[in-house]
Structures are given as structure tokens and as C-alpha cells.
């Protein structure tokens, strides 16, 4: 187990506040302060500074945070392996919505057929929540479609995917050769904040001097199938990864909008804790997935 002062340090890093960390750990605020200052004395370097109400890690503090966070994750992984040893390997991983619902199912089918005794637990959520679960050690790794801090995590490219606009057949008749600006009068259907799809779209808009507020009307929908159904019924337009939209396009439920100058590709990444001792084991699973992609 980790020294409780280290656990306090990780809680402060997460909460960005001594008071909130104390509430989270159910200890007093003076105890948090004592633990933090004891760590600084032990390591002989300033680990943080307080500017106003802001808690800011120093470079040494960030190095320590990365090290002990990975250590905490590895301890959880080892404990799980130790308990589950007689039951066989158990892998806990996450995936963002597009990858979890549309990319991974046929791949997982192949993995299950080849390794029927291995246990898999997949959690599907948005990018923000998955990264938090990865940091806490609840997941071994995650398949991420959104942006993340590549200095904080280990990662490998999983695939490149087209990011496309979709609409109804009626909308396509209204906009046979549209520009992005000409579509701002349409209702926009987007995922909730925190999702990789939403973050990618907002980044693309920002690069063009726009935002979601540039559209006449914006609705947040947390389910891709609902978004595609609404788009097919001419209730709005949306922007999704091709992987999530291709079945609906092939079945004629929605159409790809041929926006002038639109050519967007983004990465799907396999993300894990930086410097984890289980990296080779995690990458072996990724290699199995990549092999099965070729067979699907």
C-alpha cells in the first residue's frame, strides 16, 4: 500500500485544493497541510506553490505525481491479478462511444473465440471520464477518440478515422454543394461536453473561426443512434466519425454532406498509464486487437 502522505498528495493534485482533498479523504485540512509539507521535507524539493487560491505543481511535483500515480495504478493491477489468479486473466478497459459501439465489437468477438477463458470488462464512456478512471486505476487502458495530454500518458495509435458531416436526404437537396458557413442556419445535433466527438468537432470549428454557438440552434444528445435517427428525420445535421455513421449511410438513413473543402482525419489512440510495469502486457492486447482488425 502507498504511504498515506502520498495518497494525500494525489488527492490534492486531483482536487486542486487542500480543503477539498480533506473532504475527499475525510480528514482535517491541517492534516492535509502536514502531510504535504512533510513530503516536501522528505524529498528536499518544493513540490507545489500556492498562488491566491490556486494549487500549482512544480516540475518536481509533477514528476512525483506521475510516478506515484502510476505506482498506485500498478498496485491496484497487481492486487487484482493476485486475487483473480486462480480464475484466469481479467482485463479491465474502457472505450469512447464510437469505438466501443462500432469499432470494437467484431474485434472482441475474435478475441473471445481465441481466448475463451480470459475475462474482459469494458466500460464505455466519454473521453474525460475514461481518463479519470485510468488515473484512478479502475481501468488498465482505454481506447480514446478524443484529445488527451500525450505528455501524461503512454499511448499507441490504434487507427485513423475520417470525421464527416451527415444530414438527411431532404437536407442534401437543400444544400447539394454546401460550404460550412451555409450550414449555420441548420439545427446542430452534438454529443455532450466531455465526449471525444464533441471535443474534436469544437476544435475543427475553432480552426475555422467558429463555435457551436455559430449555429442557429444546438441540441446536445448523448446517444449516437438517437443522433442518427434525428438526422435521418431531418431534425438537424451532425458531425461524427465515419465508423459510427457508415451503417446508417449504407442503409440510406442518412447522407454524407459534401462540404466544400472538408477533409478531416483524426486519431483513435490506445492509452495507458505512463511508465506502468504492465506496458508490455497491455501492448500485447493491443497487438491482438490490431491482428483481428485485419481479419474482420
Amino acid at each position: 500500500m502507498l504511504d498515506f502522505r502520498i495518497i494525500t498528495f494525489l488527492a490534492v493534485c486531483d482536487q486542486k485544493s487542500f480543503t477539498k482533498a480533506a473532504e475527499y479523504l475525510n480528514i482535517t485540512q491541517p492534516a492535509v497541510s502536514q502531510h504535504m509539507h512533510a513530503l516536501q521535507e522528505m524529498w528536499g524539493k518544493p513540490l507545489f506553490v500556492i498562488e491566491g487560491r490556486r494549487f500549482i505543481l512544480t516540475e518536481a511535483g509533477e514528476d512525483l505525481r506521475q510516478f506515484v500515480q502510476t505506482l498506485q495504478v500498478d498496485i491496484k493491477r497487481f492486487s487484482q491479478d493476485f486475487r483473480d489468479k486462480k480464475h484466469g486473466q481479467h482485463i479491465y478497459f474502457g472505450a469512447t462511444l464510437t469505438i466501443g459501439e462500432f469499432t470494437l465489437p467484431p474485434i472482441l468477438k475474435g478475441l473471445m473465440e481465441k481466448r475463451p477463458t480470459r475475462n474482459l470488462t469494458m466500460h464505455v464512456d466519454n473521453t474525460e471520464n475514461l481518463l479519470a478512471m485510468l488515473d484512478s486505476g479502475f481501468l488498465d487502458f482505454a481506447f480514446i477518440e478524443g484529445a488527451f495530454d500525450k505528455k501524461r500518458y503512454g499511448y499507441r495509435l490504434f487507427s485513423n478515422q475520417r470525421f464527416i458531416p451527415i444530414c438527411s436526404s431532404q437536407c442534401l437537396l437543400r444544400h447539394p454543394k454546401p460550404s460550412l458557413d451555409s450550414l449555420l442556419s441548420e439545427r446542430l445535433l452534438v454529443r455532450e461536453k466531455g465526449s471525444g466527438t464533441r471535443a474534436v468537432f469544437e476544435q475543427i470549428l475553432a480552426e475555422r473561426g467558429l463555435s457551436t454557438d455559430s449555429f442557429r440552434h444546438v441540441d446536445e444528445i448523448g446517444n449516437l443512434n438517437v443522433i442518427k435517427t434525428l438526422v435521418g428525420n431531418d431534425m438537424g445535421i451532425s458531425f461524427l466519425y465515419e465508423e459510427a455513421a457508415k451503417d446508417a449511410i449504407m442503409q440510406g438513413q442518412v447522407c454524407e454532406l459534401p462540404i466544400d473543402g472538408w477533409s478531416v482525419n483524426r486519431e483513435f489512440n490506445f492509452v495507458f498509464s505512463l511508465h506502468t510495469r504492465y506496458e508490455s502486457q497491455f501492448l500485447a492486447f493491443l497487438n491482438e486487437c490490431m491482428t483481428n482488425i485485419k481479419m474482420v
Side-chain angles (χ1 to χ4, degrees), residues 46-93:
L47 302 176
F48 61 91
V49 295
I50 304 294
E51 294 184 359
R53 295 185 177 181
R54 295 178 62 213
F55 170 84
I56 303 173
L57 286 174
T58 63
E59 184 177 350
E62 178 60 26
D63 288 343
L64 179 62
R65 185 203 63 77
Q66 288 187 9
F67 173 73
V68 296
Q69 187 172 66
T70 298
L71 187 60
Q72 181 186 48
V73 170
D74 283 353
I75 288 172
K76 286 187 177 181
R77 173 75 265 183
F78 177 82
S79 299
Q80 190 67 51
D81 286 348
F82 192 82
R83 288 193 299 268
D84 291 347
K85 205 163 190 178
K86 64 181 180 180
H87 302 297
Q89 186 183 29
H90 197 146
I91 296 176
Y92 301 83
F93 66 100

Side-chain angles (χ1 to χ4, degrees), residues 99-113:
I99 302 174
E101 290 195 7
F102 302 99
T103 304
L104 285 180
I107 296 172
L108 295 180
K109 175 178 179 293
L111 297 185
M112 291 174 178
E113 289 172 346

Side-chain angles (χ1 to χ4, degrees), residues 16 62 65-66 69 127-128 131 134-135 144 146-155 267 269-274:
K16 309 294 186 195
E62 178 60 26
R65 185 203 63 77
Q66 288 187 9
Q69 187 172 66
T127 297
E128 183 179 320
L131 292 176
L134 196 61
D135 290 342
I144 298 289
F148 62 97
D149 186 350
K150 292 186 175 180
K151 294 180 181 179
R152 283 191 58 181
Y153 299 93
Y155 67 94
E267 296 178 350
N269 282 294
F270 179 87
V271 183
F272 50 92
S273 294
L274 193 64

